[in-house]
Each structure stands twice: as C-alpha cells, then as structure tokens.
Amino acid sequence: MVQPSATDSFNARLLAFIQRSPSPFHAVAQMAERLRENGFTALAEGEHWSLKPGGRYYVTRNDSSIIAFVYGRQSLAERGIRLVGAHTDSPCLKVKPSPERHQHGCFQLGVEVYGGALLAPWFDRDLSLAGRVTCRDGEGRLYSRLLDFEAPIATVPSLAIHLDREANRSRSINPQKELPPLLAFLPESGDKPNFRALLASTLGLDTDSAVLDYDLCFYDTQAPAQIGLQRELLASARLDNLLSCFVGLEALINADGEQSCLLVCNDHEEVGSASACGARGPMLGQFLQRLVPDTEARLRMLDKSLLISADNAHALHPNFADRHDENHGPRLNGGPVIKVNANQRYATTSETSGFFRWLCESRSVPVQAFVTRTDMECGSTIGPITASEVGVKTLDVGVPTYAMHSIRELAGDKDAWYLNQVLDAFYDYSDALTF
C-alpha cells in the first residue's frame, strides 16, 4: 500500500476545511475550533485583556473575521511581530432582505452579486445556502445561529440555445433578471412559501422564536477535489482566499513560540474592505493598541515587524497567454508568487520581496513573480490597505490560480504546501526585521 505524502495529507485537510466553510462565518468558526484544540484562548473584545508572553490567543469580530496571536518569548520592541494576512470572503450570490419571487409557478429568491464574481459559471449548478441567521427568543433576547442547508436546494437554469442564438457569441448577463435561483414550484392553492419561515423550520426554532434577519449566500455543493491525470490540480470553490487562511493557520499553529506571530483573516476584501471587521477598518490596529498601549513602544515594534499578505495570484492560462506580461506568467506548481505593482495596488517593495525570496531559498521552495500587463488594470488586496492603516512593512504574495472568482477555481497540488513551508520559516525567523 502506497503511503500518502505530506503534501497529499496537507491538501486533504485543506479541501476538507473549504468544504466545511461555505461562508465566512463557517470559515471563522472552523478556524476558532482548530485554534482552541491547539491551546489558543478566546478573547472577548468587551472584556479586559491580560496577554502574557508564552500565551496563545484569538479574537473574532462579526463572526466573520479573526485574529490569532502567539505571544513570543522575545521582546516585542526588539523583535517585532511576524504577521500574515488573508481574507475569509469570496464572490457569491447573497440573498436580499425581502427575497421571495412568486411568478410563473416558480418560487425563486432575489440575490445581490457580492464582489467581482464570474457570473456565467453560476448557471446550471447544484446550489445550497449557508451563512448566519439572527433570531429573537421568547424572552426578547437576540442571538445568532450558523445555518447550512448542505443539500442542493436551488439552481439557476440557463436559457436554451434555441431561445438565444447569440449565447455563444455575444451574451451579457443581467444579474437582476437572470440570476435569481429557482427553489421550488408553487402550490396550486394555499400559502406561498415564506423565506423566513423556511429558515425557522430548518433551524428547528420553536414558535416563540423569530427570524429577524440573515446574512446568507448561495454556494456550489460540488465537493472540492484533487483532479488531473497525475492528480496535480486542486478544484474547489473559494480557493480565493480560504486556501491562504488555511495555510496561514497551519503555519501559526506550528510556530515554535520564540517570536511573536499573528494571523489576521479579514472579511469584506472582495468589496473594498471598508467595514469594522475589514482590513480598511480598525480591527488589527485596535488589537495592536491593546497589545502594546504605549505609542512609542508600539511604533518601535512595528518598525521591526513585517506583514505577508497572502491572496491568490493569476496563473498563466494556456488558452489566454496573451493576457499576461510575457516575462511574468506564473505557472501552477511553480511556487508562491510575489505580486508587484508600480502604482501600489500591491504593497511589495524590493526589500520585502528580497526577504521573501531568501525565505523561499532557505526552504528550497521555488518562487515566481507577477506584474500585470501595462495596458491592463491591476486588481488589489488587503496588503496596501493594511500597510497604510497600520504602518507595517508589507509584501503581497499568493498561490497561482486559474479561474479566479469563478464558482470553481483551480490551483496546483504543490503550491499551497510550498507557501506553508515559507510561512513556517517566516514565523520561526529569529532575527529582527530591520531592513
């Protein structure tokens, strides 16, 4: 019997994590559970903190963002913090507040497009629904529950080619008209389906409880898989950016504890990060203020710190190679990608990039670089936002990916493991980051 390699085992855990994380709320719940299992103590933002060297802590906000911290034995002012950042959200279809659509004998739900989603792949998929539901109990107290229907309960049917002869030549998608998923056919008589009543029934709420509101998104029920003739591809929804969340979490849990290490996974990156729990918000800055209240000491600490912002990178697509700069086409399984942009859409500098290249070399990990074509616009991520909000040296890296923002993305089977090895080295790096 062939024993699975360390990479295979790592990928199996990665894909299982993504499967159990259909929404940012579920992802943070999974991460918090894993942290507790590995000796991390939960912090509540509304309570007094007493953080001590040698301790391991985590805190959540909005149930969709999380900071995990290993308080090292070395001086914060002299050695700084090794920070890794990622984001928990992915483009999707989110259910509207009053979503019921009863027309032409069909029960559908109105949706908003969250983030820059590729819309065409959402058609003809087996969809389910997950997220957070906020309720009131019989005594008037508010509480929230995670919800995952798990089973395929909806689909967005395509229009037949016979009724749209231009579909394969020049078709645009109207999200208001064409994306509402179909859940059921309407009964010929009796009450029409009520969405909040459906949520209450699914959650098993008693008659004294009420569903007040929700934050729910549709997702593809097809399980993640390792595919290809040599099993060299990882196919899954939400690789962008749950892959980086998982890789950073694995590295943090394995940190030796000598240096202070932090993982921050923010929500709302796909829509600009401007929220209380987003990278443009105060969550990380407030954590650092509570960790080191004295301003001068905190600035000394930040001067010796570094943030590696991990978010997926665009791999060179064999059918669209001309969309890449000819010298900057990252390949799947070619190692993590350093992302560079002259207009600061990425926060990488020559010093932070050079340090990352050295880390890769120290672990015999290949490394690549991405620069967008000069005649094309460049996307961005949490790196520049966090750098400007916190004032920490930063670089942007990511695992090369096909079909980014599709309902099913592709990555190489080696690259997540490669990135994990580099982040392991980063968290255990013993010298002050004084460049």
Side-chain angles (χ1 to χ4, degrees):
M1 178 179 176
V2 178
Q3 296 297 319
S5 67
T7 306
D8 287 340
S9 175
F10 184 87
N11 287 333
R13 298 197 307 276
L14 165 63
L15 297 183
F17 168 74
I18 295 175
Q19 174 76 356
R20 294 193 298 267
S21 303
S23 77
F25 306 106
H26 289 82
V28 167
Q30 292 284 327
M31 296 175 75
E33 179 181 3
R34 186 80 192 289
L35 290 165
R36 289 192 300 271
E37 291 172 350
N38 285 274
F40 285 72
T41 300
L43 302 171
E45 290 194 288
E47 297 178 359
H48 175 74
W49 292 2
S50 180
L51 309 185
K52 299 178 180 179
R56 294 184 161 212
Y57 309 95
Y58 76 91
V59 63
T60 66
R61 183 175 288 189
N62 190 48
D63 302 323
S64 62
S65 294
I66 189 168
I67 293 174
F69 179 62
V70 174
Y71 202 150
R73 288 175 281 274
Q74 301 295 329
S75 165
L76 286 170
E78 298 302 324
R79 297 297 178 91
I81 305 179
R82 289 91 177 96
L83 303 99
V84 173
H87 65 88
T88 60
D89 59 323
S90 303
C92 62
L93 304 183
K94 301 194 80 170
V95 182
K96 290 182 175 180
S98 299
E100 293 91 348
R101 292 164 59 100
H102 304 135
Q103 55 188 7
H104 308 295
C106 295
F107 173 46
Q108 297 173 279
L109 293 178
V111 292
E112 287 187 283
V113 179
Y114 177 89
L118 275 173
L119 297 181
W122 279 85
F123 289 85
D124 307 316
R125 309 292 295 196
D126 299 340
L127 304 178
S128 193
L129 195 59
R132 183 178 66 183
V133 179
T134 300
C135 310
R136 183 189 68 242
D137 67 17
E139 298 180 3
R141 293 171 298 198
L142 294 183
Y143 66 97
S144 293
R145 293 265 302 274
L146 292 187
L147 173 68
D148 183 2
F149 279 83
E150 296 186 3
I153 62 168
T155 189
V156 183
S158 292
L159 182 65
I161 188 69
H162 315 79
L163 303 179
D164 183 7
R165 293 295 184 181
E166 296 300 311
N168 292 331
R169 287 187 285 271
S170 58
R171 185 194 174 197
S172 60
I173 297 170
N174 183 316
Q176 172 70 17
K177 295 173 56 179
E178 300 175 30
L179 286 183
L182 170 66
L183 280 77
F185 295 121
L186 295 172
E188 293 185 3
S189 61
D191 295 334
K192 295 178 180 179
N194 177 281
F195 185 57
R196 279 176 169 76
L198 173 64
L199 297 180
S201 173
T202 304
L203 288 169
L205 302 182
D206 58 41
T207 55
D208 291 331
S209 298
V211 171
L212 297 176
D213 221 324
Y214 49 79
D215 193 334
L216 297 171
C217 59
F218 282 98
Y219 70 93
D220 184 10
T221 59
Q222 184 177 4
Q226 194 163 339
I227 67 171
L229 285 175
Q230 306 297 326
R231 289 169 48 83
E232 60 269 83
L233 295 171
L234 303 181
S236 177
R238 304 179 299 283
L239 288 175
D240 176 21
N241 188 31
L242 292 185
L243 181 151
S244 299
C245 293
F246 178 82
V247 169
L249 181 68
E250 289 277 311
L252 185 73
I253 288 172
N254 292 327
D256 63 18
E258 283 297 314
Q259 318 305 320
S260 291
C261 306
L262 185 147
L263 172 68
V264 53
C265 297
N266 292 112
D267 196 1
H268 302 141
E269 187 275 343
E270 299 292 359
V271 292
S273 296
S275 70
C277 61
R280 204 179 296 276
M283 184 179 180
L284 178 57
Q286 290 173 346
F287 181 92
L288 296 175
Q289 288 171 11
R290 296 180 76 162
L291 176 64
V292 185
D294 180 76
T295 300
E296 181 174 348
R298 187 168 63 255
L299 293 177
R300 289 179 61 201
M301 175 191 72
L302 286 170
D303 180 63
K304 298 176 177 64
S305 300
L306 173 67
L307 168 71
I308 296 179
S309 165
D311 197 358
N312 296 30
H314 296 293
L316 186 141
H317 194 303
N319 298 341
F320 301 94
D322 62 336
R323 302 301 175 93
H324 280 262
D325 180 271
E326 57 270 21
N327 290 339
H328 301 91
R331 300 180 183 276
L332 299 190
N333 288 325
V337 179
I338 299 171
K339 300 190 284 187
V340 179
N341 181 258
N343 296 303
Q344 287 298 293
R345 301 293 287 171
Y346 302 127
T348 305
T349 70
S350 63
E351 291 181 328
T352 60
S353 173
F355 176 71
F356 189 80
R357 289 180 182 277
W358 178 84
L359 281 179
C360 290
E361 182 180 311
S362 73
R363 289 297 178 99
S364 300
V365 167
V367 63
Q368 308 180 82
F370 172 78
V371 179
T372 193
R373 284 177 55 116
T374 309
D375 55 358
M376 294 175 65
E377 292 187 6
C378 180
S380 191
T381 181
I382 65 169
I385 296 170
T386 308
S388 60
E389 291 290 333
V390 177
V392 62
K393 296 184 290 289
T394 302
L395 81 152
D396 283 291
V397 304
V399 164
T401 309
Y402 291 153
M404 194 183 297
H405 290 196
S406 174
I407 199 170
R408 195 164 179 86
E409 299 164 323
L410 281 172
D413 69 315
K414 298 182 178 64
D415 289 320
W417 172 253
Y418 282 149
L419 180 60
N420 178 257
Q421 297 305 293
V422 182
L423 295 187
D424 275 344
F426 174 58
Y427 276 147
D428 291 343
Y429 181 71
S430 59
D431 294 335
L433 300 166
T434 54
F435 50 81

